[in-house]
Amino acid sequence: MNELIRTLTQTWGPTSYEQGIKDVITRELDGLQLEYRVDALGNLIYCLPAPGKPKLLLSAHMDQIGIIITHIDKDGFLRFGAVGGLDPYKVLGQRFVFANGTIGVAAVESKEHATLEHLTLDKLFLDIGAASRDEALQRVAIGDFAVYSGECTQIGNRVTSAALDDRIGCYVLIETVKAVTGKELNYELYGMFSVQEEIGIKGAKVGAWGVQPDLAIALDVTAWGDTPESYVLDISLGKGPAIKVKDAGMVATPVVRDLLIETARHRGIPFQLEVLQAGTTDAAAIQINGSGVPTGAISIPDRYVHSSSEMVDLGDVEGCISLVTSVLLK
Ligand code: CO
Ligand code: ZN
């Protein structure tokens, strides 16, 4: 099992509380003695200078989806809202963990609400093992955040865990920075570990304004179309990183999309083309930042995204690192 992937996925970091992830990343890259800064929203941005070369911004988001406590009843049960895209049927029966380590189980009011068509977040509650409101208040407060508890396990050449969206993208960016440090670069590299992606790609928006790049590539996950009776999507695990053509938030700038396709072909890296009907990435915010930035994205196919047990293929992850590294090096 890759220990860095494990640490990245198991570190607590819902939207706006990305500090723990930032600490993991800065510790991991510490030995390279690179320059980095943290902007006012919390984006962590590494710079690998290459004077005179165009600026390339790579972005992977640190935050994960979660829940926020909205109400605590007299018996100590908690009601909650979503922080990011949360499907009630993926929430039911799962464990959530708070910053202080408190664990809660998501349960449903009654069985008739538990069918797919009737299940809504307001029919769910969180049980933290408290017998009263007072006891619950010793562990949690209104406004506290919690995230899926989902351990990181390797099965075959695949990894299942909560928060692979987008800690696996953070992993790709970390490994890319390691691979290109000290080498002659085609671009001046800005490696951004962004905040607040899951509630509306907010971090990338201000982060890109601070960098003012000449082109940009987001590193994130995408959906899949290769499980039984799945919806139609031409993406499979294990067939390589997916070069984005379009998602719900953007059309990838053709020049960046083609740079990625040409590079993958030239280096013999297997890849797929991504046309995603729902969802988007940091790329959509970066593309329309300032006076506009040619922007694309590379996506790692991620089954069961936004659940406690997402799943990626390690071959796709390695392919993604190879592709980004190839763009940067001669
Ligand atoms: Co997401
Ligand atoms: Zn994501």
Side-chain angles (χ1 to χ4, degrees), residues 61 65 165 197-198 220-221 305-306:
H61 69 89
I65 57 160
D165 174 12
E197 192 271 353
E198 296 289 1
D220 207 334
V221 300
V305 60
H306 287 195

Side-chain angles (χ1 to χ4, degrees), residues 142-153:
I142 299 295
D144 278 1
F145 287 60
V147 301
Y148 279 125
S149 156
E151 70 178 272
C152 187
T153 311

Side-chain angles (χ1 to χ4, degrees), residues 10-140:
Q10 300 301 300
T11 300
W12 196 86
T15 298
S16 259
Y17 295 89
E18 297 91 352
Q19 186 60 47
I21 313 301
K22 218 172 291 175
D23 293 342
V24 170
I25 296 165
T26 50
R27 221 180 302 133
E28 184 67 24
L29 293 176
D30 192 42
L32 300 178
Q33 298 188 311
L34 298 167
E35 288 203 14
Y36 67 86
R37 61 186 163 84
V38 177
D39 70 19
L41 243 57
N43 295 299
L44 169 64
I45 304 170
Y46 281 83
C47 176
L48 279 69
K53 300 279 176 67
K55 291 185 190 176
L56 169 62
L57 173 64
L58 297 176
S59 183
H61 69 89
M62 294 186 285
D63 61 315
Q64 69 191 114
I65 57 160
I67 58 174
I68 182 167
I69 301 312
T70 55
H71 177 75
I72 304 172
D73 76 14
K74 64 179 185 0
D75 298 317
F77 296 103
L78 320 181
R79 298 290 178 159
F80 54 89
V83 181
L86 213 59
D87 288 327
Y89 77 93
K90 290 177 181 165
V91 171
L92 178 57
Q94 297 302 316
R95 295 181 188 195
F96 285 81
V97 59
F98 291 82
N100 65 6
T102 296
I103 294 281
V105 178
V108 66
E109 287 176 5
S110 72
K111 210 172 155 186
E112 64 230 41
H113 298 301
T115 59
L116 261 187
E117 48 178 343
H118 293 118
L119 188 61
T120 50
L121 277 190
D122 62 339
K123 297 298 177 198
L124 299 176
F125 58 86
L126 202 68
D127 183 345
I128 59 166
S132 67
R133 179 180 163 88
D134 282 348
E135 190 185 339
L137 281 169
Q138 288 166 22
R139 291 173 227 162
V140 298

Side-chain angles (χ1 to χ4, degrees), residues 21 113 145 150 160 169-170 188 197 222 232 253 262 271 312 318-319:
I21 313 301
H113 298 301
F145 287 60
T160 182
C170 293
E188 178 153 283
E197 192 271 353
T222 188
V232 175
T253 311
E262 292 305 315
F271 67 95
V312 300
E318 286 307 316

Side-chain angles (χ1 to χ4, degrees), residues 221-224 231 233 235 244-250 273-281 299:
V221 300
T222 188
W224 71 100
Y231 36 68
L233 178 65
I235 301 273
K244 192 180 296 292
V245 178
K246 183 188 180 300
D247 63 26
M250 74 179 306
L273 293 173
E274 178 197 8
V275 180
L276 184 69
Q277 302 284 28
T280 193
T281 71
S299 304

